[in-house]
Amino acid sequence: MLFNSYGFVFAFLLIFLAGFYGLRLIYDRTRLCFLERVARLYLVASSLIFFAFFGLEYLGVFLVSILCNLVFIFLQKKISKNRAKLLKILFVFSIIFNVFYLGFFKYARFFAEIFAGISDTKKENIVVLPLAISFYTFSQISMQADLYRGKIDCSDYLEYLTYITFFPKLLQGPIMRFGDFKSQTTNLLGKSISVEKIESALSLFVLGLAKKSLLADTLAAVTNFGYSQPDTLSSTEALVVIFIYPLQLYFDFSGYCDMAMAIGRMVGIELPNNFNSPFKSRNIDELWKRWHMTLTSFFTEYVYIPLGGGRKGEFRTYVNFIIIFLVSGFWHGAGLGFILWGALHALAYVLTRFCIKRRIVEDSMDDRIRAKTGISGKNRYKRLMNKPFGIFFNYLFVAFTFSLVGAGSIGTAISLFRRVFGNFVVGFSKNFLELFMLDELWYIIKMTSFANGKYSMTICMWIIIAISFAICLFAKNAYEIAEKKLTVKRAVLFGLLFVWSVLAFSEVSTYIYMGF
């Protein structure tokens, strides 16, 4: 049951909120302390029911992970803190278990195909990737690490269950630490939820829904077509597919995260922001400070720093960066394309950091900060690379490297690149252009003199692409827009946007990060 579905918006979400606010109403009138635990149990039960809609087999894999980690938590609490060596062995075993659990399900098919040379008929019998296992496994690892380090105290198993199952962040993150989540759920029923908070939550949900249903799903129709049959594309069609895939991925992922933040806010839980206008980045270093920020934070805290971070010399620091990106590639998916994607981003990141350190190019500091610190560009190259040229070349790199992921295989990606760099063929087929035919936009075009023109469908395509890039490059983030006061005019606009998004549910696509 996706967030952008009739069943979720008009049934599950409404029932969930009605039950939660019913508990709040009873608590306000009675002040019965045990209702706080009832509220946590309600969140856990609702989340497991939500997860079960995707399949009982997925729920089973999730419950096994929960039960095993509960055992680790129980043992850590029972072992005396004086027995440091035993605690360390238990901690290492818990990490090995979670990594193996993720690796077994995520890479079984990949390694079987490489080492066993299985036939197509046998592929159907290999374990299928369980839903959301990458996200909840990383949450398990972060909790086990913080528990071992003494940063958190999990004295109540129900707190753990609420944290690991909370459905708004379950499918796509953000990857939130247990300590941060626990502070958000303290005094859950007694926490004040103002009208302004509800208004901002509703606004944020509508914006996320629109990004997913109107933009991501429209672009997905094009990229799915292009990646499924790259040899039929012209050179310009292949370029369009390559360039819009990062847009599709961004609108899909950030739209889902916006909706997750909105749902959490509706019950008084603030989830961390996961995106900060990533395509405004001027280099690859800045991109990874803006894209999937909670994953970057996770790798920094639990992989980069334990490896030594930047404390063991420049060369070791660069090696640590490379390890991080290779691990990130493996985490995102099983396939040579993901590994190559990680390796290319590692190379670009190391080169960028090397150049920044030697001031061959400047970092992404704001001009006002640069003026205060006295750091400024000393040549035109710096200034060019720190302005639109930097944004363009950075996006160019992102688009071509992300195609290795979107294509699904190295062979498909190579076929797509051949269409671009081989004999360059200009033109768009009718079948390709029809994929951009967003009905509402097409109706507007029909009312103009362009409707009967030769390039009417091409105009529709470029309008959608231009709007998508304009939102990424010039618009504020959805959570910033949602913070503004909800006037009557804004309420009407959000209402129309919600209706438009709901009408687009019939063209819903699968949430793309379910495959990562």
Side-chain angles (χ1 to χ4, degrees), residues 186-434:
T186 302
N187 192 26
L188 190 60
L189 295 179
K191 185 183 297 184
S192 175
I193 303 179
S194 64
V195 174
E196 289 76 15
K197 281 287 185 183
I198 297 298
E199 289 177 351
S200 67
L202 291 173
S203 300
L204 186 57
F205 186 85
V206 171
L207 290 170
L209 191 65
K211 286 162 74 173
K212 169 65 177 130
S213 300
L214 301 179
L215 292 172
D217 286 355
T218 299
L219 299 176
V222 182
T223 57
N224 290 342
F225 174 84
Y227 286 131
S228 63
Q229 40 191 318
D231 293 331
T232 66
L233 302 177
S234 68
S235 300
T236 47
E237 289 172 343
L239 271 176
V240 167
V241 169
I242 290 170
F243 269 82
I244 69 173
Y245 179 72
L247 298 177
Q248 178 211 341
L249 190 60
Y250 169 69
F251 287 129
D252 192 271
F253 194 9
S254 68
Y256 238 80
C257 287
D258 291 339
M259 288 186 277
M261 291 173 64
I263 297 167
R265 189 171 295 178
M266 291 175 191
V267 295
I269 299 174
E270 287 290 334
L271 298 178
N273 179 39
N274 217 10
F275 290 90
N276 181 22
S277 301
F279 297 138
K280 294 178 183 178
S281 304
R282 298 165 185 177
N283 55 58
I284 203 69
D285 176 38
E286 186 180 356
L287 175 79
W288 286 106
K289 293 175 182 176
R290 293 171 173 262
W291 178 280
H292 207 340
M293 295 186 293
T294 58
L295 179 66
T296 301
S297 176
F298 175 90
F299 280 131
T300 301
E301 177 72 19
Y302 301 106
V303 182
Y304 176 70
I305 292 176
L307 285 173
R311 304 186 303 273
K312 297 186 177 182
E314 186 176 8
F315 177 77
R316 179 64 181 271
T317 299
Y318 293 147
V319 170
N320 291 340
F321 287 146
I322 293 171
I323 292 173
I324 291 294
F325 279 100
L326 291 178
V327 171
S328 178
F330 273 102
W331 177 84
H332 276 86
L336 295 176
F338 290 96
I339 299 171
L340 183 57
W341 171 85
L344 290 173
H345 275 259
L347 178 61
Y349 190 85
V350 167
L351 287 174
T352 301
R353 291 294 293 258
F354 178 84
C355 292
I356 288 173
K357 188 168 184 178
R358 281 154 180 76
R359 299 181 68 178
I360 298 173
V361 295
E362 290 182 322
D363 62 15
S364 57
M365 288 191 300
D366 184 88
D367 290 336
R368 290 171 295 179
I369 299 175
R370 188 176 295 111
K372 290 180 181 179
T373 59
I375 300 175
S376 60
K378 294 184 178 180
N379 54 56
R380 293 180 181 179
Y381 176 70
K382 290 181 181 179
R383 294 182 178 276
L384 285 175
M385 292 306 291
N386 215 22
K387 298 295 181 180
F389 283 97
I391 294 174
F392 171 75
F393 285 114
N394 190 58
Y395 187 85
L396 189 68
F397 173 79
V398 168
F400 276 92
T401 54
F402 273 39
S403 289
L404 297 170
V405 173
S409 69
I410 296 292
T412 302
I414 291 174
S415 296
L416 195 67
F417 296 155
R418 281 176 178 170
R419 307 305 295 180
V420 176
F421 299 109
N423 295 326
F424 200 84
V425 179
V426 178
F428 298 97
S429 67
K430 183 179 179 181
N431 290 338
F432 186 82
L433 293 173
E434 284 178 345

Side-chain angles (χ1 to χ4, degrees), residues 490-504:
R490 285 171 60 85
V492 172
L493 289 174
F494 278 117
L496 293 174
L497 191 59
F498 174 75
V499 172
W500 188 6
S501 301
V502 168
L503 292 175

Side-chain angles (χ1 to χ4, degrees), residues 159-206:
E159 290 178 342
Y160 160 74
L161 291 174
T162 309
Y163 160 72
I164 204 66
T165 63
F166 189 54
F167 77 87
K169 70 176 182 64
L170 189 55
L171 296 183
Q172 73 297 309
I175 302 171
M176 194 173 185
R177 298 178 188 179
F178 175 79
D180 297 331
F181 187 84
K182 182 179 178 180
S183 66
Q184 292 289 332
T185 55
T186 302
N187 192 26
L188 190 60
L189 295 179
K191 185 183 297 184
S192 175
I193 303 179
S194 64
V195 174
E196 289 76 15
K197 281 287 185 183
I198 297 298
E199 289 177 351
S200 67
L202 291 173
S203 300
L204 186 57
F205 186 85
V206 171

